[in-house]
Amino acid sequence: MCGIVGAVSTRNIVPVLVQGLERLEYRGYDSCGVAVYAQGADAAHSGLRRARSTARVSELAEQVAGKGEQAQPLEGLLGIAHTRWATHGVPSVSNAHPHFSHGTGSDAHQKPGRIALVHNGIIENHDALRAALQAKGYVFVSQTDTEVISHLVDSLYDGDLFDAVQRATLQLHGAYAIAVFCKDEPHRLIGARAGSPLILGVGKDGQEHFLASDAMALAGVTDQIVYLEEGDMVDMQLGKYWLLDKARKPVAPAQRPVKTVHAHSGAAELGPYRHYMQKEIFEQPRAIADTLEGVEGIVPELFDQQGNHAPGANAHKVFAEIDNVLILACGTSYYSGCTAKYWLESIAKIPCQVEVASEYRYRDSVPNPKTLVVTITQSGETADTLAALRHAQSLGMQHTLTICNVATSAMVRECSLAYVTRAGVEIGVASTKAFTTQLAGLFLLTLALAQAKGRLSPADEQEHLKAMRHLPAALQAVLALEPQIMAWADDFAKKENALFLGRGLHYPIALEGALKLKEITYIHAEAYAAGELKHGPLALVTSEMPVVAVAPNDTLLEKLKSNLHEVRARGGVLYVLADADTKIESGEGMHVIRMPEHYGALSPLLHVVPLQLLSYHTACARGTDVDKPRNLAKSVTVE
């Protein structure tokens, strides 16, 4: 979602800020901006200066470079930058960050005040704070909750910015990560976080420091990273920094150690592909191979964390104690959890409940201390999933495990156990390789739990491991179907509605296929368990409603064939992904793509790939912004 970059240095940091925003573009945004403390030759070019845009970061880069009529380059040794995904107020220049305070008085809004601030998150009590500040004479020029924070800090400022920010955060209800500076203290940058991620970057020789919402923003600038914990505040000045924790007590360096983090900015290079989504679809064989690297056998220790912060927590002990599983996730990750439910109950024989994270914490539930709470998240910073995890912990469920793609994320730090997938950086907003690597991690978890409960024989273990090792080659064979899928996409591009069908283990794959089509083509799509056709969705079937069916050769195949006949009898046009031995043939109104091989329990990892390609090529045919679909963001760090 929103991205933050900030820096205090002895050099012009505007290029660093703009480069950081470029590296955060994958998160999704609808406006962007940069603000600096400028020390110009005259008053007109000194003090707080900024540039903002509702276009791409590339347009902002032209602004700060001084291109355009009567423009001056933006330069400064202290600055902040931001990409915004609109929550309060429409995407506009006036609502774009950074925001300035404006002091008080009827004409105060016509000139910048002394505070510059950027913010990720949502301030829930912004209306009350706004009214109180307006009563003091502050004039608001945006619709955002963020401008409230800038005026609040200004109202509390008395010569010490750190003190003003500290007192301001005590009045904020909600989630935030902020970076703020004051023109009266031109070598000082303050950061604070509660509910939204924020990191500190230590520059060369410690003479410059950086703030960012993601280590990727600082790739190539510094690899020395300090991860701020919940409630932390950081005071950064030239050559030094110090932190306070949520109790506002000093934090010793050993408590927030500097870690070397290689963010690999080169992973964001597009190469020969048209879009990042296409690149990431084709990276899945490699991503699966990397995720499974080093797995020689099924042992609980695969899920242990080195240097775990929870004393005594280890997978062997936890797996022996638990008697059921609760999965918490959102979006695509939720569908991976729905798939895992079938595995856990059929292979490990362990009851499993899958909850939408954003709903779970707001309903009454019955906690069981013998539950293994499993969170699934690509970024490890998803606000709803983190909140659901904390809610489960507050109910007394302390056995926690995450399947996550970012080893340094808040989710990995807050869970006792973890399996870190190795999908690499995923730029496209619509998740692809993160989903399939999550499935690989969840299948390993299923086998580990089955073994811990005495339900996995050595022969079955070897058979499953053999199938997993073959996955990269099997995925390559599926990717070779791309030309046939492109032909389907030409048909879908002309439609405005689609229906996806699956049964059993492949019902969640149908759900994921429908989600992908919605996300990047803007075609309305729904997915149903195929047996539910006659209970409602059959009323929608016409020749203008393409129906996609996932048809593996499993125990439900004959039932699925009956559902397909129901569609054809109503004039529906079918697009079927069928295993080779299903005896489903192409014909009038029946388009069939043969999958290379039947893959048993791991079949969902293969069947989802053609659905990803179908959405991708349909989006290309419709001319939509594939990697940055409207209204969506990559890392959803607000509730």
Side-chain angles (χ1 to χ4, degrees), residues 44 49 62 81 97 247 283 327 384 402 455 482 495 560:
R49 294 189 61 206
E62 292 188 358
H97 300 211
E283 285 176 339
I327 295 176
D384 287 318
T402 188
R455 296 160 190 159
E482 186 179 33
K495 307 299 183 182
L560 179 65

Side-chain angles (χ1 to χ4, degrees), residues 529-551:
E532 287 294 292
L533 261 178
K534 60 181 95 46
H535 296 291
L538 201 57
L540 298 173
V541 172
T542 71
S543 60
E544 290 302 305
M545 168 81 86
V547 179
V548 180
V550 182

Side-chain angles (χ1 to χ4, degrees), residues 121-140:
I122 292 177
I123 304 304
E124 296 172 356
N125 61 330
H126 68 96
D127 282 335
L129 291 172
R130 183 188 299 264
L133 289 162
Q134 285 174 329
K136 293 180 179 180
Y138 283 91
V139 177
F140 286 79

Side-chain angles (χ1 to χ4, degrees), residues 593-633:
I593 289 178
R594 298 275 176 215
M595 296 294 286
E597 57 184 306
H598 176 55
Y599 222 67
L602 288 166
S603 175
L605 280 85
L606 302 190
H607 275 274
V608 76
V609 174
L611 300 181
Q612 296 169 347
L613 287 168
L614 175 62
S615 297
Y616 170 72
H617 285 292
T618 303
C620 289
R622 288 169 70 94
T624 62
D625 192 339
V626 172
D627 290 327
K628 301 182 183 71
R630 67 190 183 202
N631 304 332
L632 300 180

Side-chain angles (χ1 to χ4, degrees), residues 445-502:
L445 175 62
T446 298
L447 298 182
L449 287 171
Q451 184 193 71
K453 301 300 183 183
R455 296 160 190 159
L456 183 70
S457 70
D460 287 342
E461 176 183 346
Q462 291 307 309
E463 193 65 28
H464 286 309
L465 283 171
K466 179 181 177 182
M468 295 193 80
R469 293 188 186 108
H470 183 60
L471 272 172
L475 285 167
Q476 288 286 10
V478 175
L479 289 167
L481 300 173
E482 186 179 33
Q484 298 177 57
I485 296 163
M486 291 171 69
W488 283 13
D490 289 339
D491 293 342
F492 274 71
K494 305 177 185 72
K495 307 299 183 182
E496 293 302 325
N497 300 280
L499 188 63
F500 288 70
L501 301 176

